Amino acid sequence: MDAINQPLLDVRDLSVAFHQPSGTSVAVDHISFEIKRGECVALVGESGSGKSVSALSILKLLPYPTASHPSGSIRFQGRELLGLSEREMRGIRGNDISIIFQEPMTSLNPLHTIEQQISEILQLHNPISGAKARARTLELLTQVGIPEPETRLQSYPHQLSGGQRQRVMIAMALANEPDLLIADEPTTALDVTVQAQILTLLAEIRTRLGMSMLFITHDLGIVRRIADVVCVMNGGKIVEQGPVEQVFTAPKHPYTRDLLAAEPKPDPAPPQPDSPVVISASDLKVWFPVRRGLLRSAVGFIKAVDGVTLSVRKGETLGVVGESGSGKTTLGLALLRLITSLGPIVFLGKNIQGLRFKEMRPFRRDMQIVFQDPFGALSPRMPVGDIVAEGLSVHQSGLSREEREARVIKALRDVGLDPATRFRYPHEFSGGQRQRISIARAVVLEPNFIVLDEPTSALDMLFQAQMVDLLRELQRKRDLTYMFISHDLRVVASLASHLIVMRDGKVVEEGPASELFKSPQTDYTRALFAAAFRLEAAPGDVVAE
């Protein structure tokens, strides 16, 4: 094949096996696909189907020798990658092929500033001065939508929101303008308005550089918008592939048809005006001081939550939406007394603001949280069964070992995991499976109030619909109260009784969810909803920033 017609990336008959003392498992089973120059190929499928493992194989980032390739070939620009040494691969990674990982907090160095991490990528592959690297870093941060990038250069990853961390990862991946960009769920942590901006940015860069993309996602709306070709994976195999419109319009495989039909059912919990208030807050504030100078004096404040008043009744779901960095997660952490705040917080009839650690402990069983980043929230040193049972050991120490085991098994079954996997560790699961483990850890205690911080963002469409059904079923069965934080407005609409829209730490609009979705009153809310709907548009439609 001549160089002009040769695909940029050619994957043929690739298999990936993992070898463990308990035996060998095949994660990817004889898959083949190619990516042409300037083309975007999407890999879609349920969590654990082998999408990310396939992508990591291209850059040889799997844990070798635990992982192996029983068969297959990966050719990039006509060059076989599987036979290259680690030194040769380092010249390709970050320069010719870049990757955006699914979980930014585990990919960014917690000890280095944002400027150091982006500059390192630039200077590793290019003879560039410190001043030019800084200018290029600012340009990249601006391109990916980081507000006031100059103030973020010296920030550390933990000082950014989940969406902002993901944008930094995208900036690092685009730094050297690679020929192939592998994007593993790159917009998972982003709100819909920034999703639209990032997709527009990636499309513009593709056009300008002729860059190719391998786009891994569970969001079919994004696939329709950005991809030229789609490969549907299930059980480690590609069960269907072809042009996006052809596959979406006339799917041939039953799994593809199930995937396209999966959608959270719009059946939110009804308002409960006569039920008791589970949790309320009045004029709640969370201000972080900005310190400068030799003495680190406070010269101002970042008002993450600025005067929020709310109440949630038993059996209701409070939906919280807004852009990344608007204060949604901070509000949830403040209500659970996991960060310092000002203003009364009344939980189950008692003001818990100001209570000390030991005084708060009796309330912890009744209030739980599912974090946005499951990998960062799960101990890598504990098997899954111990992680789920940990809360029972602390808050229900009277249970026998057999009773704890039975509760753990039931919780894992409730969230769609095989109880036999409870002896494995978090790194042995996919991102979506780890999120289900986090949900199992929260519900095993049968709490009254759960803060769900983007609990479905890491899940594919099939499991997303199943998880929404599960959360709804648990709520009705146990009369649970939820605070549901999400940028996926379809999921929020399917669960929320009441809705608040946040921006810059303030509530800009609130009301019954059904009314707000039908008739938003503020320009910001209308723009937020419009961006969500446009992400479902057909390829070629323009998404406004």
mmCIF file of all heavy atoms in Angstrom, residues 320-342:
data_model
loop_
_atom_site.group_PDB
_atom_site.id
_atom_site.type_symbol
_atom_site.label_atom_id
_atom_site.label_comp_id
_atom_site.label_asym_id
_atom_site.label_seq_id
_atom_site.Cartn_x
_atom_site.Cartn_y
_atom_site.Cartn_z
ATOM 1 N N VAL A 320 -28.709 19.385 41.321
ATOM 2 C CA VAL A 320 -27.840 20.569 41.326
ATOM 3 C C VAL A 320 -27.048 20.572 40.017
ATOM 4 O O VAL A 320 -26.275 19.643 39.750
ATOM 5 C CB VAL A 320 -26.883 20.568 42.531
ATOM 6 C CG1 VAL A 320 -26.054 21.855 42.545
ATOM 7 C CG2 VAL A 320 -27.651 20.420 43.840
ATOM 8 N N VAL A 321 -27.263 21.596 39.200
ATOM 9 C CA VAL A 321 -26.580 21.681 37.916
ATOM 10 C C VAL A 321 -25.864 23.021 37.805
ATOM 11 O O VAL A 321 -26.178 23.975 38.524
ATOM 12 C CB VAL A 321 -27.559 21.503 36.735
ATOM 13 C CG1 VAL A 321 -28.236 20.150 36.805
ATOM 14 C CG2 VAL A 321 -28.590 22.612 36.696
ATOM 15 N N GLY A 322 -24.918 23.086 36.889
ATOM 16 C CA GLY A 322 -24.140 24.305 36.681
ATOM 17 C C GLY A 322 -22.823 23.946 36.048
ATOM 18 O O GLY A 322 -22.449 22.772 35.941
ATOM 19 N N GLU A 323 -22.092 24.953 35.614
ATOM 20 C CA GLU A 323 -20.809 24.711 34.969
ATOM 21 C C GLU A 323 -19.789 24.188 35.957
ATOM 22 O O GLU A 323 -19.934 24.314 37.172
ATOM 23 C CB GLU A 323 -20.284 26.020 34.350
ATOM 24 C CG GLU A 323 -21.089 26.522 33.182
ATOM 25 C CD GLU A 323 -20.521 27.799 32.631
ATOM 26 O OE1 GLU A 323 -20.220 28.715 33.410
ATOM 27 O OE2 GLU A 323 -20.383 27.896 31.407
ATOM 28 N N SER A 324 -18.735 23.586 35.431
ATOM 29 C CA SER A 324 -17.624 23.150 36.258
ATOM 30 C C SER A 324 -17.037 24.356 37.002
ATOM 31 O O SER A 324 -16.815 25.409 36.414
ATOM 32 C CB SER A 324 -16.557 22.504 35.377
ATOM 33 O OG SER A 324 -15.460 22.112 36.129
ATOM 34 N N GLY A 325 -16.818 24.199 38.307
ATOM 35 C CA GLY A 325 -16.302 25.301 39.096
ATOM 36 C C GLY A 325 -17.369 26.225 39.635
ATOM 37 O O GLY A 325 -17.061 27.244 40.250
ATOM 38 N N SER A 326 -18.661 25.875 39.431
ATOM 39 C CA SER A 326 -19.742 26.750 39.903
ATOM 40 C C SER A 326 -20.029 26.578 41.382
ATOM 41 O O SER A 326 -20.778 27.370 41.963
ATOM 42 C CB SER A 326 -21.022 26.476 39.103
ATOM 43 O OG SER A 326 -21.452 25.139 39.285
ATOM 44 N N GLY A 327 -19.452 25.538 42.018
ATOM 45 C CA GLY A 327 -19.646 25.335 43.449
ATOM 46 C C GLY A 327 -20.539 24.164 43.802
ATOM 47 O O GLY A 327 -20.864 23.972 44.977
ATOM 48 N N LYS A 328 -20.925 23.351 42.819
ATOM 49 C CA LYS A 328 -21.847 22.243 43.067
ATOM 50 C C LYS A 328 -21.270 21.247 44.078
ATOM 51 O O LYS A 328 -21.903 20.933 45.087
ATOM 52 C CB LYS A 328 -22.165 21.507 41.761
ATOM 53 C CG LYS A 328 -22.690 22.364 40.628
ATOM 54 C CD LYS A 328 -23.104 21.549 39.432
ATOM 55 C CE LYS A 328 -22.002 20.707 38.831
ATOM 56 N NZ LYS A 328 -20.916 21.489 38.216
ATOM 57 N N THR A 329 -20.071 20.740 43.798
ATOM 58 C CA THR A 329 -19.461 19.744 44.677
ATOM 59 C C THR A 329 -19.133 20.348 46.031
ATOM 60 O O THR A 329 -19.334 19.710 47.074
ATOM 61 C CB THR A 329 -18.195 19.166 44.026
ATOM 62 O OG1 THR A 329 -18.556 18.494 42.820
ATOM 63 C CG2 THR A 329 -17.509 18.181 44.953
ATOM 64 N N THR A 330 -18.645 21.585 46.043
ATOM 65 C CA THR A 330 -18.331 22.251 47.313
ATOM 66 C C THR A 330 -19.571 22.368 48.185
ATOM 67 O O THR A 330 -19.511 22.179 49.405
ATOM 68 C CB THR A 330 -17.724 23.643 47.050
ATOM 69 O OG1 THR A 330 -16.579 23.513 46.196
ATOM 70 C CG2 THR A 330 -17.297 24.305 48.348
ATOM 71 N N LEU A 331 -20.706 22.666 47.577
ATOM 72 C CA LEU A 331 -21.966 22.736 48.320
ATOM 73 C C LEU A 331 -22.291 21.396 48.961
ATOM 74 O O LEU A 331 -22.666 21.330 50.147
ATOM 75 C CB LEU A 331 -23.095 23.172 47.384
ATOM 76 C CG LEU A 331 -24.512 23.169 47.970
ATOM 77 C CD1 LEU A 331 -24.618 24.152 49.133
ATOM 78 C CD2 LEU A 331 -25.534 23.504 46.892
ATOM 79 N N GLY A 332 -22.147 20.305 48.203
ATOM 80 C CA GLY A 332 -22.416 18.980 48.756
ATOM 81 C C GLY A 332 -21.488 18.638 49.903
ATOM 82 O O GLY A 332 -21.921 18.109 50.940
ATOM 83 N N LEU A 333 -20.195 18.939 49.766
ATOM 84 C CA LEU A 333 -19.230 18.663 50.831
ATOM 85 C C LEU A 333 -19.526 19.478 52.084
ATOM 86 O O LEU A 333 -19.370 19.000 53.212
ATOM 87 C CB LEU A 333 -17.809 18.954 50.340
ATOM 88 C CG LEU A 333 -17.285 18.079 49.190
ATOM 89 C CD1 LEU A 333 -15.917 18.559 48.742
ATOM 90 C CD2 LEU A 333 -17.226 16.617 49.617
ATOM 91 N N ALA A 334 -19.961 20.726 51.886
ATOM 92 C CA ALA A 334 -20.292 21.582 53.020
ATOM 93 C C ALA A 334 -21.502 21.047 53.783
ATOM 94 O O ALA A 334 -21.516 21.045 55.025
ATOM 95 C CB ALA A 334 -20.539 23.007 52.547
ATOM 96 N N LEU A 335 -22.532 20.595 53.053
ATOM 97 C CA LEU A 335 -23.724 20.068 53.714
ATOM 98 C C LEU A 335 -23.395 18.841 54.559
ATOM 99 O O LEU A 335 -24.008 18.617 55.612
ATOM 100 C CB LEU A 335 -24.784 19.711 52.677
ATOM 101 C CG LEU A 335 -25.468 20.884 51.966
ATOM 102 C CD1 LEU A 335 -26.400 20.367 50.878
ATOM 103 C CD2 LEU A 335 -26.244 21.753 52.958
ATOM 104 N N LEU A 336 -22.425 18.046 54.117
ATOM 105 C CA LEU A 336 -22.019 16.856 54.867
ATOM 106 C C LEU A 336 -20.968 17.157 55.919
ATOM 107 O O LEU A 336 -20.469 16.236 56.571
ATOM 108 C CB LEU A 336 -21.477 15.797 53.897
ATOM 109 C CG LEU A 336 -22.469 15.242 52.861
ATOM 110 C CD1 LEU A 336 -21.797 14.198 51.993
ATOM 111 C CD2 LEU A 336 -23.687 14.652 53.535
ATOM 112 N N ARG A 337 -20.632 18.431 56.072
ATOM 113 C CA ARG A 337 -19.621 18.867 57.044
ATOM 114 C C ARG A 337 -18.257 18.218 56.773
ATOM 115 O O ARG A 337 -17.518 17.864 57.683
ATOM 116 C CB ARG A 337 -20.065 18.540 58.472
ATOM 117 C CG ARG A 337 -21.219 19.354 59.033
ATOM 118 C CD ARG A 337 -20.873 20.817 59.286
ATOM 119 N NE ARG A 337 -19.527 20.984 59.831
ATOM 120 C CZ ARG A 337 -19.202 20.737 61.104
ATOM 121 N NH1 ARG A 337 -20.121 20.351 61.963
ATOM 122 N NH2 ARG A 337 -17.970 20.913 61.506
ATOM 123 N N LEU A 338 -17.929 18.075 55.485
ATOM 124 C CA LEU A 338 -16.622 17.557 55.110
ATOM 125 C C LEU A 338 -15.636 18.675 54.821
ATOM 126 O O LEU A 338 -14.439 18.413 54.660
ATOM 127 C CB LEU A 338 -16.752 16.636 53.892
ATOM 128 C CG LEU A 338 -17.535 15.342 54.128
ATOM 129 C CD1 LEU A 338 -17.700 14.559 52.833
ATOM 130 C CD2 LEU A 338 -16.858 14.478 55.183
ATOM 131 N N ILE A 339 -16.133 19.900 54.689
ATOM 132 C CA ILE A 339 -15.286 21.081 54.612
ATOM 133 C C ILE A 339 -15.904 22.168 55.480
ATOM 134 O O ILE A 339 -17.094 22.123 55.806
ATOM 135 C CB ILE A 339 -15.121 21.600 53.158
ATOM 136 C CG1 ILE A 339 -16.481 21.896 52.530
ATOM 137 C CG2 ILE A 339 -14.335 20.628 52.309
ATOM 138 C CD1 ILE A 339 -16.383 22.539 51.157
ATOM 139 N N THR A 340 -15.107 23.140 55.857
ATOM 140 C CA THR A 340 -15.560 24.213 56.734
ATOM 141 C C THR A 340 -16.465 25.182 55.981
ATOM 142 O O THR A 340 -16.184 25.554 54.846
ATOM 143 C CB THR A 340 -14.350 24.978 57.305
ATOM 144 O OG1 THR A 340 -13.500 24.051 57.985
ATOM 145 C CG2 THR A 340 -14.799 26.051 58.279
ATOM 146 N N SER A 341 -17.535 25.579 56.642
ATOM 147 C CA SER A 341 -18.473 26.516 56.026
ATOM 148 C C SER A 341 -19.071 27.414 57.097
ATOM 149 O O SER A 341 -18.896 27.179 58.303
ATOM 150 C CB SER A 341 -19.593 25.754 55.296
ATOM 151 O OG SER A 341 -20.328 24.952 56.206
ATOM 152 N N LEU A 342 -19.771 28.435 56.658
ATOM 153 C CA LEU A 342 -20.476 29.345 57.560
ATOM 154 C C LEU A 342 -21.958 29.299 57.242
ATOM 155 O O LEU A 342 -22.347 29.234 56.074
ATOM 156 C CB LEU A 342 -19.952 30.775 57.399
ATOM 157 C CG LEU A 342 -18.501 31.042 57.804
ATOM 158 C CD1 LEU A 342 -18.116 32.474 57.448
ATOM 159 C CD2 LEU A 342 -18.316 30.805 59.299
#
